Amino acid sequence: MKTLDDLRKMREQVRKELDMRSGNKRARVTVCMGTCGIAAGARETMQAFLRELEGAGLGDIAVTAAGCAGFCEKEPMVEVEVKDEKPVRYCHVDAAAVARIVQEHLVGGKVVDDLVFA
Amino acid sequence: MAKPRAYVMVSVDADTVVIGAREVKTRLAAEIGTCGLGEEIRVLETGSFGPSDAGIVAAVMPEGLVYGNLTPERIPQLVEEHFVKGRPVSAWLLAGEHILPDPETTDSRGQQYFGRIVLDNCGRIDPDSIEEYIANDGYFALGKALTEMTPEAVVEEVKDSGLRGRGGAGFPTGLKWSFCASEKADMKYVICNADEGEPGTFKDRLIMEGDPHKVIEGMALCGYALGATQGYVYIRGEYKLSIERIRNAIEAARENGLLGKDIMGSGFDFDIAVKIGAGAYVCGEETALIESMEGKRGLPRVKPPFPAKAGFRGKPTNVNNVETLANIPFIIRNGAAQFHGIGDPGTPGTKVYTVLGHINRAGLIEVPTSVTLRDVLEDYAGGMRSGSFKMAQLGGTAGDLLDASMLDVPLNYDSLAKNGHSLGSGAILFMNETIKVCDFLHACMKFFAHESCGNCNPCRNGMAALLELTARLKKGEGYPGDIALMEELVMGMQSIAFCPLGQSPAAPVLSAVRYFRDELHAGINVDAVRPRPEHTMRHLMKLAS
Ligand SMILES: Cc1cc2nc3c(=O)[nH]c(=O)nc-3n(C[C@H](O)[C@H](O)[C@H](O)COP(=O)(O)O)c2cc1C
Ligand code: SF4
Ligand code: FES
Ligand code: FES
């Protein structure tokens, strides 16, 4: 650490990682991870979210797991809740769907209508 | 590798380490790995979150859920339920919003929560990671001071902030710094007083365990302001984990060029070493502390000269409490005005307390200096656990005993002084009606009698006399006149004891007499006849001559 700038660089770098830890999130993605969710591929869905969010540089979105919601045939199921907006439930969320949800909903701010659980 | 989606932060402090916090942490990491979640969920160590009566505590972030009373046996179920299935185990969750306060929320009285100053990182970052401290603006105050401010400007900023010492006496910190800064000397020292001997007070320990770099940064700023190049942290030997974490922090700061020679290219040299104390209460007094650091018996010195003129090794020395120093980075980073705007204008900022006794949530809190004892009890401590409020001791064993009439006085130096009280060192002990005042006083006197260093007569004999006297009252065998005698003794000690330890019993004794005279009277047997002349102050002095 030779200058104030070095300190700044280090701060920004570590901050990105720490963002994940703070409870202050712009949005929350909850992946339904009951037994049948996992059997239907929820684990891969979760991984895909983590990858896509990192790729998109979104550090202010929490990804959490939730238990069974009781709609086994709709799994993998995901709920996206943007702060101050109504939560949206998506079903049959595979890796391709994850990419769209991240880009259209979380980056673009527009709900991906054709994936919404009706 | 993707970034983790969640963190489990196990609170590892000296209390939890002995009940197995590290085993819980290891077990958690292993179990999470077994479930194939090792990359998604990271397990970390952090400082105290606050509660001290909830066993081993861990927070899951970003959810902000806090589990208490964890054991290695509970881990498999916890991991299975919470992390694999996503179902928090509600039975093990801790209640209590003050545990991990969200800076954007309001407190329970609807006031905007301004965020913590001293404990902002405690329980949120890994205390052994300098990177995480830096990510939370750590060392930016030092960077700012070294690149944009003169040492004089740093002293002025601290003066303007109105910060007062948090070690018990409440002396204005900026003023104290200016004394030492104006001394000309080839060597000056900065000492962080981490002796913390007051029973029930352990806030300094939790600050050091939770955010050691903040103390280091505060010391470096102090060194720069005063023109000192060497700092010492004087920590009591029992504080093993504090010692370990402060040492790690010093090491990491050195490796990153934040301590040592020519810090950030400014030409300022500053280094810090740890000195370990042997745990005598009197060694928390700053001149006794300096004696002890010089390898001598921990006897207080005659003042003047004050340490600012002739302290450690006869050189100008500044001694500040851990919490005082931990406030400095905030003041320099955000400016004196912002600090001054928090809490009560006479004692700006916040105060860190350990709260204990018959309350629902014992532990560590940081509150603005405008809150009252009632606020602390109801909003932060969760109310009385059993019985009703009878009294509270404010500030450790040398603190005042308050009754319900003082519940609405704001906890700051000026408001308390108006009522004849003092803020003390940072412990608040709440007691219900099961505690008898006589028993309580006797327990306090036991501590003082044990800690009197024996150097001077009024304290040595006075403590022994008080111990005997309170023992009598406790058994209901006091002699008529004992209360007046007790008052005379403590007032006499207050005026002639050599050091402030001998002056200390005055606070609990006189306040107990003020609020609980009737109850003390009940300890007197009106028919008893005093068998021999008592240890009056005059008598004590005669013994001495
Ligand atoms: C008997 C006795 C014990 C003390 N113990 C401590 C202590 O453990 N920690 C502390 O910071 N100050 C303690 N003090 C107060 C110190 O002498 C000194 O006032 C303080 O370290 C100054 O720091 P501050 O201005 O930051 O409050 C004690 C004083 C006395 C008389
Ligand atoms: S007042 Fe007590 S502690 Fe202080 S020097 Fe005298 S005997 Fe020692
Ligand atoms: S796990 Fe059964 S419906 Fe989601
Ligand atoms: S001088 Fe040590 S007790 Fe008398």
Side-chain angles (χ1 to χ4, degrees):
Chain A
M1 204 83 53
K2 274 281 137 270
T3 65
L4 201 51
D5 258 345
D6 295 342
L7 199 60
R8 275 197 198 100
K9 265 183 226 136
M10 187 159 181
R11 175 174 67 181
E12 298 322 314
Q13 189 193 327
V14 189
R15 252 190 198 168
K16 286 209 188 94
E17 189 187 323
L18 291 186
D19 272 348
M20 264 324 297
R21 220 191 278 163
S22 105
N24 272 328
K25 296 294 182 192
R26 182 171 69 83
R28 180 181 299 264
V29 173
T30 310
V31 182
C32 201
M33 296 260 244
T35 317
C36 69
I38 294 174
R43 194 123 292 283
E44 289 72 34
T45 304
M46 164 77 76
Q47 295 292 346
F49 263 110
L50 297 177
R51 262 196 326 272
E52 291 289 334
L53 288 174
E54 186 171 14
L58 298 180
D60 53 354
I61 290 168
V63 183
T64 56
C68 175
F71 301 101
C72 306
E73 78 288 356
K74 300 285 185 188
E75 294 286 354
M77 227 167 52
V78 169
E79 191 176 272
V80 173
E81 186 175 5
V82 177
K83 216 178 191 166
D84 303 325
E85 283 173 30
K86 260 184 68 182
V88 179
R89 244 188 206 166
Y90 294 106
C91 54
H92 300 307
V93 183
D94 56 12
V98 169
R100 289 187 60 201
I101 293 169
V102 169
Q103 284 311 321
E104 295 173 30
H105 192 167
L106 292 170
V107 177
K110 251 187 62 70
V111 176
V112 191
D113 287 324
D114 56 304
L115 294 179
V116 170
F117 175 62
Chain B
M1 184 180 125
K3 279 189 196 128
R5 69 174 171 86
Y7 291 82
V8 192
M9 324 235 332
V10 184
S11 170
V12 179
D13 61 44
D15 298 317
T16 58
V17 97
V18 294
I19 53 172
R22 290 227 161 98
E23 287 77 60
V24 164
K25 182 195 155 198
T26 316
R27 189 70 192 267
L28 256 171
E31 202 64 35
I32 285 174
T34 311
C35 295
L37 298 173
E39 294 212 343
E40 267 172 48
I41 295 160
R42 195 163 296 164
V43 181
L44 289 176
E45 247 178 54
T46 188
S48 170
F49 303 133
S52 62
D53 53 359
I56 298 167
V57 181
V60 184
M61 298 308 281
E63 287 105 308
L65 294 175
V66 182
Y67 286 104
N69 301 307
L70 293 176
T71 59
E73 294 71 39
R74 286 182 168 183
I75 298 305
Q77 191 187 342
L78 180 75
V79 171
E80 169 76 17
E81 288 296 314
H82 191 133
F83 298 105
V84 177
K85 296 192 183 148
R87 290 193 296 231
V89 188
S90 47
W92 300 341
L93 285 175
L94 281 188
E97 65 210 274
H98 74 294
I99 291 170
L100 277 181
D102 184 332
E104 288 189 358
T105 58
T106 52
D107 71 17
S108 55
R109 281 162 307 137
Q111 290 180 353
Q112 183 70 33
Y113 190 86
F114 59 90
R116 294 169 159 193
I117 294 174
V118 175
L119 302 179
D120 57 346
N121 287 330
C122 284
R124 291 173 177 276
I125 69 168
D126 176 354
D128 283 328
S129 162
I130 190 171
E131 291 85 3
E132 295 194 9
Y133 180 64
I134 290 172
N136 288 287
D137 295 323
Y139 289 107
F140 276 81
L142 183 62
K144 178 179 174 187
L146 294 182
T147 54
E148 297 169 15
M149 298 169 81
T150 60
E152 295 74 32
V154 175
V155 174
E156 281 311 306
E157 200 70 34
V158 175
K159 262 192 193 165
D160 292 344
S161 75
L163 175 66
R164 296 168 70 165
R166 302 291 196 246
F171 194 82
T173 306
L175 188 61
K176 188 189 251 185
W177 285 19
S178 69
F179 297 148
C180 193
S182 62
E183 291 294 324
K184 298 254 176 307
D186 54 348
M187 194 68 194
K188 292 185 189 176
Y189 297 100
V190 166
I191 296 173
C192 171
N193 187 345
D195 191 54
E196 199 167 56
E198 194 88 22
T201 311
F202 46 97
K203 46 126 190 145
D204 293 340
R205 168 163 70 73
L206 295 176
I207 295 169
M208 291 185 284
E209 289 171 4
D211 200 6
H213 283 284
K214 191 164 271 137
V215 182
I216 302 297
E217 188 180 5
M219 289 179 72
L221 284 162
C222 179
Y224 178 67
L226 271 44
T229 50
Q230 180 65 47
Y232 293 98
V233 190
Y234 184 94
I235 312 182
R236 60 175 40 235
E238 297 98 307
Y239 279 12
K240 295 269 183 303
L241 193 60
S242 298
I243 295 169
E244 177 189 320
R245 290 206 170 135
I246 287 281
R247 280 192 172 142
N248 285 347
I250 293 172
E251 197 60 37
R254 265 189 213 134
E255 277 165 17
N256 285 279
L258 296 163
L259 283 179
K261 294 249 174 279
D262 190 21
I263 299 171
M264 286 192 195
S266 64
F268 169 59
D269 301 340
F270 189 73
D271 213 334
I272 298 177
V274 172
K275 289 262 178 182
I276 295 172
Y281 177 54
V282 72
C283 286
E285 196 281 327
E286 56 186 19
T287 60
L289 182 152
I290 289 170
E291 286 284 297
S292 146
M293 277 182 51
E294 291 177 351
K296 291 179 249 167
R297 186 176 154 201
L299 285 182
R301 290 179 180 172
V302 181
K303 297 194 251 189
F306 288 91
K309 207 165 202 68
F312 184 52
R313 298 184 179 138
K315 303 289 182 190
T317 302
N318 184 80
V319 184
N320 274 126
N321 171 258
V322 172
E323 185 188 342
T324 311
L325 290 164
N327 273 290
I328 303 294
F330 178 95
I331 293 171
I332 300 302
R333 208 170 55 238
N334 301 298
Q338 188 173 342
F339 184 84
H340 205 283
I342 297 165
D344 177 84
T347 314
T350 61
K351 181 78 190 82
V352 179
Y353 297 100
T354 41
V355 286
L356 40 160
H358 299 124
I359 50 177
N360 283 312
R361 292 201 297 265
L364 182 70
I365 61 167
E366 175 173 359
V367 299
T369 51
S370 46
V371 308
T372 63
L373 195 58
R374 190 188 301 280
D375 295 332
V376 169
L377 175 60
E378 288 172 6
D379 296 346
Y380 296 90
M384 297 300 284
R385 184 182 62 210
S386 60
S388 53
F389 174 86
K390 174 178 178 179
M391 56 191 177
Q393 193 180 29
L394 184 60
T397 306
D400 291 324
L401 197 61
L402 309 180
D403 75 350
S405 69
M406 291 289 125
L407 275 171
D408 293 307
V409 178
L411 299 176
N412 59 65
Y413 288 109
D414 298 341
S415 308
L416 286 163
K418 264 185 231 138
N419 291 283
H421 293 301
S422 170
L423 189 55
S425 63
I428 307 180
L429 174 62
F430 289 98
M431 289 167 273
N432 65 18
E433 64 283 352
T434 63
I435 304 297
K436 298 204 176 63
V437 175
C438 297
D439 293 356
F440 177 76
L441 271 188
H442 183 62
C444 294
M445 294 315 133
K446 264 193 191 156
F447 171 74
F448 288 127
H450 180 260
E451 292 294 343
S452 168
C453 82
N455 183 45
C456 70
N457 177 55
C459 172
R460 188 179 64 242
N461 288 316
M463 297 293 189
L466 285 169
L467 190 65
E468 217 182 290
L469 201 158
T470 50
R472 279 203 299 267
L473 290 177
K474 186 177 140 125
K475 283 187 280 183
E477 294 169 5
Y479 303 125
D482 265 358
I483 294 177
L485 176 63
M486 186 162 70
E487 286 178 293
E488 186 193 332
L489 275 171
V490 296
M491 287 192 284
M493 288 163 72
Q494 198 173 26
S495 48
I496 58 175
F498 181 74
C499 90
L501 201 159
Q503 300 158 7
S504 297
V509 166
L510 296 179
S511 53
V513 174
R514 172 170 161 194
Y515 296 115
F516 298 100
R517 185 179 282 275
D518 290 347
E519 197 179 327
L520 291 171
H521 255 296
I524 289 173
N525 173 3
V526 287
D527 302 323
V529 181
R530 204 177 289 280
R532 56 179 162 82
E534 261 314 327
H535 281 147
T536 59
M537 217 57 227
R538 222 169 308 122
H539 182 68
L540 287 181
M541 294 318 290
K542 223 183 282 165
L543 280 180
S545 55

